[in-house]
Amino acid sequence: MAVTLEQAWRVGYTCLKALLRFAFMVANNLVAIPSYVLYLIMLQPLRMLDSKSFWYIEGVLFKWLLAMVASWGWWAGYTVVEWGDDVKAVSEDEAMVLVNHQATGDVCTLMMCLQDKGTVVRQMMWLMDHIFKYTNFGIVSLIHGDFFIRQGRTHRDQQLVLLKDHLEKYYRSRNRKWIVLFPEGGFLRKRRETSQAFAKKNNLPFLKHVTLPRLGATQVILKTLVAPQENGTPASGDTVMKESKAKGLQLVIDTTIAYPKGEPIDIQTWILGYRQPTVTHVHYRIFPVKDVPAEPEALTDWLYQRFIEKEDLLTHFYETGAFPPPKGQTKAISREMTLSNLWLVGIQSLAFLSGGMWYCIFQYLYHCLF
């Protein structure tokens, strides 16, 4: 089939745009990430004198870095429409966020749609696959205190012990409030067949749009972060003193990400922007943690039920283009989330100015020493 001049022009324009976006992303990373690290090295004396202020500043810088990632998608026309409960109203409460996982773009989508949720982004902790430790953003997540979990049955028990230790060491001391995890333990396309076979063997529902979640990390988080008075567990004197300083985990936010036609956005698309502008839909449902069972068997059933509901939500979305209304209502209300272009430009400009400043400082030091 012959290629028309218009088609050739479109392909050329798309390739040129992708190349320019990639060059900008690389430059952005080369100045923003080292600047983040250097600012925090410079602030180490403050960390020793006033840890709370240090982690506040780190959180602001972390939010700005995530905003830069969000801007790559935002400027390519990859926007978000939100449904269900309004999580902005509970942004100051401690919450565990359960998210379905389809592609690498899920993380970028969350980085975008949580930007306008108050202090959430700078006070959140992520649980992600250990492979992300070796990406360009790995050093940032390590400093921020995110947890990299290694998948696989042989590592499972050890990883849960490490997760518990990590939460006890870093979650309260760094004033974290939201913790985000993907309970399915991998991408939908990689886990669907195994999950369906497990469901058939154990007489569980057949799921197409999500997979059955794993219990381990969810259970560790609830045991470690929920205050005893919330789940009815007797507390020792030391525990009561510790929990009196924090309310503990108060909410579980069940988050469902849906892409038009079930075609998820991956990180390559997010960076290069070669797909046409796309609206990603995110549905939230908030559960008080007191309504979440603590016993393993009951918690497993509760968690399975959440993902069965996700299956129903996604089935409805793919059939109608919208999520169903809440029970007792006739119409579902959606909300378009927005980001300020001026704010995004300001953050990007600050990153490049910071890179220039550090370059001048090192040049001056080099000439002084040599």
PDB file of all heavy atoms in Angstrom, residues 82-98:
ATOM      1  N   GLU A  82     -11.582  11.462  37.497  1.00  0.00           N
ATOM      2  CA  GLU A  82     -11.734  10.706  38.738  1.00  0.00           C
ATOM      3  C   GLU A  82     -13.209  10.458  39.041  1.00  0.00           C
ATOM      4  O   GLU A  82     -14.068  11.284  38.740  1.00  0.00           O
ATOM      5  CB  GLU A  82     -11.066  11.468  39.890  1.00  0.00           C
ATOM      6  CG  GLU A  82      -9.565  11.639  39.680  1.00  0.00           C
ATOM      7  CD  GLU A  82      -8.899  12.459  40.762  1.00  0.00           C
ATOM      8  OE1 GLU A  82      -9.378  13.577  41.030  1.00  0.00           O
ATOM      9  OE2 GLU A  82      -7.894  12.005  41.322  1.00  0.00           O
ATOM     10  N   TRP A  83     -13.468   9.307  39.658  1.00  0.00           N
ATOM     11  CA  TRP A  83     -14.817   8.866  39.980  1.00  0.00           C
ATOM     12  C   TRP A  83     -14.871   8.384  41.433  1.00  0.00           C
ATOM     13  O   TRP A  83     -13.846   8.136  42.055  1.00  0.00           O
ATOM     14  CB  TRP A  83     -15.236   7.716  39.069  1.00  0.00           C
ATOM     15  CG  TRP A  83     -15.172   7.990  37.599  1.00  0.00           C
ATOM     16  CD1 TRP A  83     -14.050   8.071  36.822  1.00  0.00           C
ATOM     17  CD2 TRP A  83     -16.278   8.216  36.713  1.00  0.00           C
ATOM     18  NE1 TRP A  83     -14.375   8.322  35.513  1.00  0.00           N
ATOM     19  CE2 TRP A  83     -15.747   8.409  35.415  1.00  0.00           C
ATOM     20  CE3 TRP A  83     -17.659   8.248  36.882  1.00  0.00           C
ATOM     21  CZ2 TRP A  83     -16.539   8.643  34.305  1.00  0.00           C
ATOM     22  CZ3 TRP A  83     -18.457   8.469  35.772  1.00  0.00           C
ATOM     23  CH2 TRP A  83     -17.916   8.675  34.502  1.00  0.00           C
ATOM     24  N   GLY A  84     -16.090   8.222  41.916  1.00  0.00           N
ATOM     25  CA  GLY A  84     -16.263   7.637  43.242  1.00  0.00           C
ATOM     26  C   GLY A  84     -16.033   8.629  44.363  1.00  0.00           C
ATOM     27  O   GLY A  84     -16.301   9.830  44.228  1.00  0.00           O
ATOM     28  N   ASP A  85     -15.502   8.142  45.492  1.00  0.00           N
ATOM     29  CA  ASP A  85     -15.295   8.979  46.662  1.00  0.00           C
ATOM     30  C   ASP A  85     -14.239  10.046  46.400  1.00  0.00           C
ATOM     31  O   ASP A  85     -13.304   9.840  45.606  1.00  0.00           O
ATOM     32  CB  ASP A  85     -14.860   8.121  47.856  1.00  0.00           C
ATOM     33  CG  ASP A  85     -15.949   7.143  48.291  1.00  0.00           C
ATOM     34  OD1 ASP A  85     -17.142   7.471  48.090  1.00  0.00           O
ATOM     35  OD2 ASP A  85     -15.615   6.072  48.821  1.00  0.00           O
ATOM     36  N   ASP A  86     -14.374  11.169  47.072  1.00  0.00           N
ATOM     37  CA  ASP A  86     -13.427  12.273  46.932  1.00  0.00           C
ATOM     38  C   ASP A  86     -12.294  12.088  47.938  1.00  0.00           C
ATOM     39  O   ASP A  86     -12.462  12.351  49.130  1.00  0.00           O
ATOM     40  CB  ASP A  86     -14.141  13.604  47.170  1.00  0.00           C
ATOM     41  CG  ASP A  86     -13.218  14.805  46.970  1.00  0.00           C
ATOM     42  OD1 ASP A  86     -12.074  14.608  46.522  1.00  0.00           O
ATOM     43  OD2 ASP A  86     -13.650  15.938  47.275  1.00  0.00           O
ATOM     44  N   VAL A  87     -11.138  11.634  47.484  1.00  0.00           N
ATOM     45  CA  VAL A  87     -10.036  11.353  48.404  1.00  0.00           C
ATOM     46  C   VAL A  87      -9.331  12.621  48.868  1.00  0.00           C
ATOM     47  O   VAL A  87      -8.570  12.583  49.840  1.00  0.00           O
ATOM     48  CB  VAL A  87      -9.020  10.382  47.772  1.00  0.00           C
ATOM     49  CG1 VAL A  87      -9.669   9.042  47.487  1.00  0.00           C
ATOM     50  CG2 VAL A  87      -8.409  10.959  46.506  1.00  0.00           C
ATOM     51  N   LYS A  88      -9.587  13.722  48.179  1.00  0.00           N
ATOM     52  CA  LYS A  88      -8.980  14.972  48.625  1.00  0.00           C
ATOM     53  C   LYS A  88      -9.455  15.334  50.033  1.00  0.00           C
ATOM     54  O   LYS A  88      -8.718  15.927  50.823  1.00  0.00           O
ATOM     55  CB  LYS A  88      -9.324  16.107  47.653  1.00  0.00           C
ATOM     56  CG  LYS A  88      -8.576  17.411  47.923  1.00  0.00           C
ATOM     57  CD  LYS A  88      -8.966  18.511  46.942  1.00  0.00           C
ATOM     58  CE  LYS A  88      -8.525  18.183  45.546  1.00  0.00           C
ATOM     59  NZ  LYS A  88      -8.762  19.313  44.604  1.00  0.00           N
ATOM     60  N   ALA A  89     -10.680  14.932  50.355  1.00  0.00           N
ATOM     61  CA  ALA A  89     -11.253  15.243  51.668  1.00  0.00           C
ATOM     62  C   ALA A  89     -10.569  14.482  52.800  1.00  0.00           C
ATOM     63  O   ALA A  89     -10.699  14.852  53.967  1.00  0.00           O
ATOM     64  CB  ALA A  89     -12.754  14.941  51.668  1.00  0.00           C
ATOM     65  N   VAL A  90      -9.857  13.395  52.468  1.00  0.00           N
ATOM     66  CA  VAL A  90      -9.199  12.592  53.511  1.00  0.00           C
ATOM     67  C   VAL A  90      -7.679  12.612  53.336  1.00  0.00           C
ATOM     68  O   VAL A  90      -6.983  11.710  53.817  1.00  0.00           O
ATOM     69  CB  VAL A  90      -9.723  11.141  53.511  1.00  0.00           C
ATOM     70  CG1 VAL A  90     -11.205  11.106  53.841  1.00  0.00           C
ATOM     71  CG2 VAL A  90      -9.462  10.455  52.168  1.00  0.00           C
ATOM     72  N   SER A  91      -7.168  13.631  52.677  1.00  0.00           N
ATOM     73  CA  SER A  91      -5.736  13.675  52.362  1.00  0.00           C
ATOM     74  C   SER A  91      -4.856  13.781  53.597  1.00  0.00           C
ATOM     75  O   SER A  91      -3.668  13.450  53.541  1.00  0.00           O
ATOM     76  CB  SER A  91      -5.437  14.843  51.406  1.00  0.00           C
ATOM     77  OG  SER A  91      -5.774  16.077  52.020  1.00  0.00           O
ATOM     78  N   GLU A  92      -5.407  14.241  54.719  1.00  0.00           N
ATOM     79  CA  GLU A  92      -4.611  14.375  55.938  1.00  0.00           C
ATOM     80  C   GLU A  92      -4.702  13.142  56.825  1.00  0.00           C
ATOM     81  O   GLU A  92      -4.038  13.074  57.872  1.00  0.00           O
ATOM     82  CB  GLU A  92      -5.058  15.615  56.720  1.00  0.00           C
ATOM     83  CG  GLU A  92      -4.779  16.935  56.006  1.00  0.00           C
ATOM     84  CD  GLU A  92      -3.300  17.143  55.722  1.00  0.00           C
ATOM     85  OE1 GLU A  92      -2.478  16.831  56.601  1.00  0.00           O
ATOM     86  OE2 GLU A  92      -2.961  17.596  54.608  1.00  0.00           O
ATOM     87  N   ASP A  93      -5.539  12.179  56.468  1.00  0.00           N
ATOM     88  CA  ASP A  93      -5.668  10.950  57.246  1.00  0.00           C
ATOM     89  C   ASP A  93      -4.666   9.913  56.750  1.00  0.00           C
ATOM     90  O   ASP A  93      -4.247   9.936  55.593  1.00  0.00           O
ATOM     91  CB  ASP A  93      -7.088  10.384  57.123  1.00  0.00           C
ATOM     92  CG  ASP A  93      -8.127  11.318  57.717  1.00  0.00           C
ATOM     93  OD1 ASP A  93      -7.821  11.998  58.711  1.00  0.00           O
ATOM     94  OD2 ASP A  93      -9.250  11.373  57.174  1.00  0.00           O
ATOM     95  N   GLU A  94      -4.293   8.998  57.624  1.00  0.00           N
ATOM     96  CA  GLU A  94      -3.402   7.921  57.213  1.00  0.00           C
ATOM     97  C   GLU A  94      -4.205   6.878  56.436  1.00  0.00           C
ATOM     98  O   GLU A  94      -5.287   6.466  56.867  1.00  0.00           O
ATOM     99  CB  GLU A  94      -2.727   7.279  58.423  1.00  0.00           C
ATOM    100  CG  GLU A  94      -1.681   8.178  59.064  1.00  0.00           C
ATOM    101  CD  GLU A  94      -0.804   7.413  60.051  1.00  0.00           C
ATOM    102  OE1 GLU A  94      -0.640   6.186  59.881  1.00  0.00           O
ATOM    103  OE2 GLU A  94      -0.305   8.030  60.996  1.00  0.00           O
ATOM    104  N   ALA A  95      -3.645   6.445  55.301  1.00  0.00           N
ATOM    105  CA  ALA A  95      -4.397   5.545  54.439  1.00  0.00           C
ATOM    106  C   ALA A  95      -3.483   4.572  53.715  1.00  0.00           C
ATOM    107  O   ALA A  95      -2.329   4.893  53.390  1.00  0.00           O
ATOM    108  CB  ALA A  95      -5.209   6.349  53.414  1.00  0.00           C
ATOM    109  N   MET A  96      -3.998   3.378  53.465  1.00  0.00           N
ATOM    110  CA  MET A  96      -3.361   2.402  52.592  1.00  0.00           C
ATOM    111  C   MET A  96      -4.130   2.404  51.272  1.00  0.00           C
ATOM    112  O   MET A  96      -5.361   2.290  51.272  1.00  0.00           O
ATOM    113  CB  MET A  96      -3.383   1.010  53.225  1.00  0.00           C
ATOM    114  CG  MET A  96      -2.842  -0.086  52.325  1.00  0.00           C
ATOM    115  SD  MET A  96      -2.713  -1.703  53.142  1.00  0.00           S
ATOM    116  CE  MET A  96      -4.448  -2.055  53.473  1.00  0.00           C
ATOM    117  N   VAL A  97      -3.423   2.536  50.161  1.00  0.00           N
ATOM    118  CA  VAL A  97      -4.041   2.642  48.847  1.00  0.00           C
ATOM    119  C   VAL A  97      -3.790   1.349  48.077  1.00  0.00           C
ATOM    120  O   VAL A  97      -2.634   0.988  47.818  1.00  0.00           O
ATOM    121  CB  VAL A  97      -3.484   3.851  48.067  1.00  0.00           C
ATOM    122  CG1 VAL A  97      -4.205   4.004  46.730  1.00  0.00           C
ATOM    123  CG2 VAL A  97      -3.605   5.126  48.896  1.00  0.00           C
ATOM    124  N   LEU A  98      -4.862   0.652  47.715  1.00  0.00           N
ATOM    125  CA  LEU A  98      -4.786  -0.601  46.965  1.00  0.00           C
ATOM    126  C   LEU A  98      -5.108  -0.312  45.499  1.00  0.00           C
ATOM    127  O   LEU A  98      -6.190   0.204  45.202  1.00  0.00           O
ATOM    128  CB  LEU A  98      -5.769  -1.630  47.520  1.00  0.00           C
ATOM    129  CG  LEU A  98      -5.694  -1.919  49.029  1.00  0.00           C
ATOM    130  CD1 LEU A  98      -6.813  -2.879  49.431  1.00  0.00           C
ATOM    131  CD2 LEU A  98      -4.335  -2.506  49.399  1.00  0.00           C
TER     132      LEU A  98
END
